[in-house]
Amino acid sequence: MTLTLLSNDLGKEVLQQWVQQGYFTPHVLFYKLARRLAGLEEYNTYEKSEQQLTDDEDRIKPMMKIVDDFLSEDPVIRRNSYNPATTRLLEIVQRINNTGESATDKEIEQDCRNWITTFFPNTQSNLDRLKTELENLRNQPNSDKLYPYLTKEEEIDIIEHLAYRLQFTLTITLLDRHTKIVFYEWQNRPNNIREPSPHRRMPRGMVNILPLPVTGRQFGTYYSSQGNDTLSLFAYSNIGRDYVLNFHRLLTDYDGLKGPNVLALSGTSYLPDSTAFHVSDPQGVLMPEKTAQQAIAQSKFEFLPQFKDNQPIRVSGNLNNKQKAHEKLTDVAKSLVTESGSNHIFTELKTLKELGENKPELWADRDRILILVNSYDQSKWVADELRTYLNDLRDEIKNLRTDNLKPNKKGQINPGELKRADIESFAYTGGKILVAPTNSIGRGFNILNNNGKAAFGAVYFFTRPYPHPNDAAAIAQELNRRAYEWFDKEDFIAWQQGDGIAQSAEILRKTANNYWRSVEHRSYYLTLLDKPDLCAFPRYDLAATTLGRIIQAVGRLIRGGVPFHGYFVDSAWADNSAKRLAAERTGDDSDQIDNDSEENSLLVATILRVCDYACEDSSVGNALYRPLADALENIENVFF
């Protein structure tokens, strides 16, 4: 579906920046709009007290009350609400539906502006208050260190921008409504529509067998840019993991016979706190090869933050803004390959070559480096910066690209780019440094040298992975996991308060939808709060999922039973440890800075998770992760 958001360039620029941040549903967009109308940043960019957070939620309640009323029924069906603001929204969305011109109609834009000024007359004063609050924070001593991610003054909305956002949100609400009709009524489509079913990826026989999500089926939209601006749709229609969890009972209820045994081929299928990776507790484990365990035990990890003007370079927290992300990533890359910085990559290549000469059975022909970032764009930025300063290695630096890589105007492929499908041949290209997105090489690739050993000797984690709050696929995974936990939880609210099956189901549905929305509203690491009554421990979840990504990444470096070096470069992995290292550089008293803990450091939380899994002898976690736990526990430069 082509994204013709608005006919004028300003409206298009405003909305492109808004939707590029990931998946979104009508409720997500309304929540973002409510925060802006209330004079709040879309996401908190600095730590707030519990009282401040409560006050913020109180400010957006009037708008969200209207939203809940508006979304409670089909928005196209004519109805009058007790709230005139809701009734007017319904009239506008019906007009959009009748016009058929999406968000390009100027009269509808004016209707949206009038709706804001009529029902939220204090909006402009709220925006002015936000400007004043942020300016006061910027004027405080050391504000660049205390509040590095404050919303810029030019990024604060004006009424015109808010009208664009409301118009777009109403259009997406209409799109969401039509998507549900297509999904549920596909069998009633006109005869001249011969396209395949929108849920064709799921086998037809599974749609009515696999359990429905506890939220009910969910639909939404996300932005993608592949040469042109488009919106794509997603559907959360069934709990897919039920197929895997119950495959061992295939036909058992029918014929009483035992079903097939199920073998999970990845050790990361056992990460109890991770909603992304964990499947279930296995009945047994195929032990890893001794050589692989020994290789991990001989490996070393190091926290290696880079510095600019003696301040740690923090990449994470800037990745949603392409300009900021580019600046931070290139600063890190430059520091790692220049004399004015640490020059660590140059030194590491030399160290790996010497190890290959002194211990050829483990390190021969492994003087290569893998650099992991978050996206293909970031891969190119970092590789280009490295080529600028490592002129002698310019042709040996590659950045990974998608398999649909297009030739340049001369019909040639850029020699510095490597297709993902060709990644296993990297050692034969003469390359020394490969920059790639973490998710692109997670599992399934054996990148080997001529000796049949892992081609890379070292890996650098340039970014600290952090899930986007509107990633619907990740939220669906989390809800799928919660569904089984709630089912087994005897004191779960739906089972305690529900009077009969129907009322319990109603409470379950309401609880699940509130849970989904609470995940959408998550922001930075420090705001992740446990909710034991809902079996939700988001920091443990994030730490265990991060552990899974680390395991999959270093798995490329131990093939053939060889050790590796692992470096965590983004200072966001362990902020306080980075500050202590900065203090040591300038001769300040580093003891005045607190150690890191799992409360503020994702790296520390990850280390504690793997140590917890591996602590019990004869446990599954011990069998899978003991060598890795020992190596991470002995990491250099992390103070915890």
Side-chain angles (χ1 to χ4, degrees):
M1 185 183 81
T2 303
L3 176 63
T4 54
L5 294 177
L6 289 162
S7 55
N8 64 77
D9 291 337
L10 174 60
K12 185 173 182 179
E13 180 182 347
V14 169
L15 294 179
Q16 277 182 326
Q17 186 275 334
W18 208 29
V19 301
Q20 281 174 356
Q21 297 176 7
Y23 294 84
F24 49 90
T25 60
H27 191 274
V28 168
L29 294 178
F30 273 120
Y31 181 80
K32 290 181 175 184
L33 180 63
R35 289 186 64 89
R36 289 173 180 268
L37 289 171
L40 301 170
E41 293 179 289
E42 193 166 290
Y43 293 106
N44 292 322
T45 59
Y46 61 95
E47 186 174 0
K48 292 186 174 182
S49 68
E50 188 171 335
Q51 183 59 50
Q52 287 176 312
L53 293 173
T54 300
D55 291 343
D56 288 351
E57 291 301 313
D58 287 341
R59 287 176 177 174
I60 68 173
K61 276 182 180 178
M63 174 63 176
M64 295 312 296
K65 189 174 181 180
I66 296 170
V67 170
D68 289 338
D69 185 26
F70 173 71
L71 296 177
S72 64
E73 296 182 38
D74 187 339
V76 174
I77 296 177
R78 291 189 177 277
R79 62 184 172 95
N80 289 320
S81 168
Y82 69 92
N83 191 325
T86 303
T87 300
R88 184 63 186 130
L89 277 185
L90 291 168
E91 292 171 354
I92 297 173
V93 82
Q94 287 159 8
R95 185 171 180 179
I96 294 174
N97 188 49
N98 295 334
T99 302
E101 287 296 329
S102 186
T104 60
D105 190 282
K106 295 296 294 183
E107 291 184 7
I108 293 174
E109 177 192 329
Q110 185 61 50
D111 285 344
C112 291
R113 189 181 304 195
N114 292 341
W115 186 88
I116 291 171
T117 55
T118 300
F119 297 105
F120 291 89
N122 296 326
T123 297
Q124 187 58 57
S125 61
N126 290 337
L127 297 173
D128 293 339
R129 173 182 50 76
L130 177 61
K131 285 183 182 180
T132 301
E133 288 177 357
L134 296 180
E135 189 60 32
N136 290 339
L137 292 174
R138 289 191 186 94
N139 291 333
Q140 291 185 17
N142 297 321
S143 62
D144 55 332
K145 300 176 186 177
L146 294 172
Y147 312 110
Y149 309 118
L150 293 178
T151 302
K152 293 181 179 179
E153 182 173 345
E154 60 269 23
E155 294 175 353
I156 296 175
D157 275 321
I158 57 177
I159 299 293
E160 183 181 8
H161 293 176
L162 292 173
Y164 294 152
R165 298 185 194 281
L166 176 58
Q167 188 176 1
F168 179 71
T169 301
L170 293 175
T171 304
I172 290 296
T173 301
L174 195 60
L175 176 63
D176 184 70
R177 183 254 188 191
H178 293 337
T179 300
K180 291 177 180 177
I181 293 175
V182 171
F183 188 95
Y184 287 114
E185 300 295 332
W186 186 254
Q187 70 276 9
N188 296 322
R189 68 191 183 281
N191 292 330
N192 61 343
I193 297 180
R194 295 184 174 87
E195 284 81 2
S197 165
H199 46 78
R200 62 190 180 277
R201 292 183 181 179
M202 179 181 293
R204 184 178 300 176
M206 290 293 175
V207 173
N208 295 320
I209 294 177
L210 294 176
L212 291 176
V214 287
T215 57
R217 284 179 169 141
Q218 296 281 328
F219 302 89
T221 315
Y222 65 94
Y223 173 90
S224 60
S225 179
Q226 300 294 337
N228 61 346
D229 297 318
T230 59
L231 291 178
S232 299
L233 304 175
F234 71 86
Y236 174 35
S237 57
N238 296 85
I239 301 179
R241 72 171 56 196
D242 190 77
Y243 182 86
V244 177
L245 293 176
N246 289 290
F247 193 69
H248 66 285
R249 297 181 61 250
L250 184 66
L251 299 181
T252 300
D253 292 340
Y254 175 72
D255 57 19
L257 299 178
K258 182 180 178 182
N261 294 313
V262 179
L263 176 65
L265 295 178
S266 173
T268 52
S269 297
Y270 178 83
L271 286 169
D273 295 293
S274 172
T275 54
F277 285 106
H278 188 68
V279 179
S280 65
D281 294 344
Q283 293 180 321
V285 177
L286 294 178
M287 290 295 292
E289 294 181 359
K290 286 290 184 184
T291 53
Q293 292 180 307
Q294 292 167 357
I296 295 176
Q298 296 175 50
S299 302
K300 77 162 189 175
F301 286 100
E302 182 179 346
F303 179 47
L304 190 70
Q306 299 303 292
F307 300 89
K308 184 176 182 179
D309 299 327
N310 287 323
Q311 295 300 318
I313 302 175
R314 197 179 202 275
V315 179
S316 297
N318 295 282
L319 297 179
N320 283 336
N321 184 308
K322 277 196 171 183
Q323 184 177 353
K324 290 180 181 178
H326 183 276
E327 177 187 346
K328 296 294 183 179
L329 285 166
T330 52
D331 281 346
V332 168
K334 178 181 177 180
S335 177
L336 286 165
V337 293
T338 58
E339 293 291 345
S340 59
S342 67
N343 205 21
H344 194 275
I345 284 180
F346 182 82
T347 305
E348 182 67 16
L349 285 171
K350 185 177 179 181
T351 299
L352 292 173
K353 188 172 184 62
E354 292 174 351
L355 284 169
E357 295 169 354
N358 297 329
K359 297 180 179 180
E361 69 281 4
L362 295 177
W363 294 96
D365 190 28
R366 297 187 61 221
D367 51 329
R368 299 180 190 85
I369 288 173
L370 175 63
I371 295 175
L372 297 178
V373 290
N374 279 6
S375 68
Y376 288 107
D377 283 343
Q378 293 175 15
S379 300
K380 188 176 189 310
W381 300 341
V382 171
D384 286 345
E385 190 73 3
L386 296 178
R387 294 183 190 110
T388 301
Y389 295 98
L390 292 176
N391 204 44
D392 293 343
L393 295 175
R394 183 177 183 84
D395 295 335
E396 300 170 41
I397 300 171
K398 311 288 184 182
N399 59 282
L400 201 65
R401 295 293 292 171
T402 56
D403 292 335
N404 59 356
L405 180 64
K406 296 179 180 178
N408 59 25
K409 293 181 179 179
K410 297 181 179 179
Q412 300 172 334
I413 298 295
N414 187 329
E417 296 180 330
L418 183 72
K419 286 185 179 181
R420 184 171 181 264
D422 298 330
I423 193 172
E424 292 191 346
S425 64
F426 178 75
Y428 306 101
T429 66
K432 289 293 183 183
I433 300 174
L434 175 64
V435 191
T438 303
N439 290 339
S440 67
I441 64 165
R443 64 169 61 155
F445 291 112
N446 288 314
I447 311 171
L448 308 177
N449 60 18
N450 285 317
N451 303 320
K453 309 287 187 182
F456 296 107
V459 58
Y460 289 72
F461 295 92
F462 262 45
T463 57
R464 180 202 65 180
Y466 194 84
H468 194 281
N470 297 331
D471 184 345
I475 301 175
Q477 285 180 324
E478 186 168 337
L479 260 296
N480 287 347
R481 172 73 176 273
R482 295 291 171 260
Y484 289 94
E485 292 174 333
W486 294 345
F487 181 78
D488 293 331
K489 185 177 172 62
E490 293 183 0
D491 60 347
F492 183 60
I493 182 174
W495 321 143
Q496 293 293 313
Q497 296 184 7
D499 183 12
I501 295 176
Q503 192 176 60
S504 293
E506 184 178 340
I507 296 173
L508 173 64
R509 178 66 56 86
K510 182 177 180 180
T511 302
N513 278 286
N514 288 339
Y515 187 99
W516 180 291
R517 292 175 182 179
S518 72
V519 176
E520 289 175 334
H521 300 164
R522 287 174 183 166
S523 53
Y524 49 88
Y525 182 76
L526 290 174
T527 65
L528 300 180
L529 302 177
D530 294 343
K531 296 181 179 179
D533 57 320
L534 297 177
C535 307
F537 301 91
R539 287 185 185 174
Y540 279 10
D541 185 354
L542 178 58
T545 300
T546 302
L547 174 62
R549 303 202 188 286
I550 292 172
I551 291 170
Q552 291 188 350
V554 302
R556 308 313 105 212
L557 283 83
I558 62 171
R559 291 293 186 264
V562 291
F564 65 92
H565 297 161
Y567 300 101
F568 298 94
V569 180
D570 185 359
S571 73
W573 281 105
D575 278 321
N576 287 355
S577 295
K579 292 174 183 176
R580 288 178 67 109
L581 294 171
E584 292 174 3
R585 289 166 61 92
T586 58
D588 294 332
D589 185 4
S590 61
D591 291 335
Q592 297 298 314
I593 301 171
D594 293 334
N595 286 345
D596 280 301
S597 69
E598 63 181 336
E599 300 295 321
N600 76 296
S601 166
L602 180 56
L603 181 54
V604 171
T606 301
I607 293 171
L608 294 179
R609 284 297 85 216
V610 71
C611 289
D612 184 56
Y613 297 153
C615 69
E616 293 185 19
D617 293 337
S618 302
S619 66
V620 174
N622 186 279
L624 292 173
Y625 303 133
R626 180 74 268 170
L628 179 63
D630 291 340
L632 278 170
E633 194 171 19
N634 293 321
I635 188 172
E636 298 179 29
N637 293 332
V638 178
F639 307 97
F640 67 102

